[in-house]
Each structure stands twice: as structure tokens, then as C-alpha cells.
Amino acid sequence: VILGNAGRSVAIPVDELVGQQLVLLRPLRGVLSRLNHLTGLALLAGGDVGMVLSANRICEPQAAEAV
């Protein structure tokens, strides 16, 4: 997947694209809240949980160098 923001692009490898669906988003709490590139958790219809990445934070110059 290629993410872009403010003229900067970053490629991120993914294992699977689930598709488009309605999800319930929950904010990160506790230890997980310290992770800079994650926005929250997505509770999927089948009961699975997915991590929600922040495209803006991943495309920041200092973030791309750390990946």
C-alpha cells in the first residue's frame, strides 16, 4: 500500500486487504497509547480486531526514516 501526504509517499507492506466495511473505532489506551503510528483499534464485524494506522504520522519525514 502506498500512503501519501503533503507531497511525501511511503510504501507499507501488507499481508491482506480486508476491503471496505463499517467498523467501530476505539482509541488506544495504556501501553498501546505510546505507539506513535497507531490511531486506534478497529472492531470488525466478524469479531476480529485490526490496528488503525495514522497515514499523516507515517508520512512525516522523521517517521519515514525510522521505518
Side-chain angles (χ1 to χ4, degrees):
V1 173
I2 308 253
L3 301 176
N5 184 32
R8 185 172 182 86
S9 298
V10 177
I12 298 180
V14 297
D15 292 330
E16 178 182 8
L17 290 175
V18 177
Q20 185 174 345
Q21 58 183 286
L22 293 174
V23 297
L24 176 63
L25 294 178
R26 303 291 299 174
L28 295 173
R29 296 190 176 153
V31 177
L32 293 177
S33 65
R34 296 183 208 152
L35 300 173
N36 290 336
H37 300 101
L38 294 177
T39 302
L41 300 173
L43 304 176
L44 305 175
D48 292 330
V49 176
M51 298 268 190
V52 179
L53 297 173
S54 172
N56 291 337
R57 291 181 188 162
I58 290 173
C59 291
E60 290 174 349
Q62 64 274 17
E65 294 169 6
V67 172

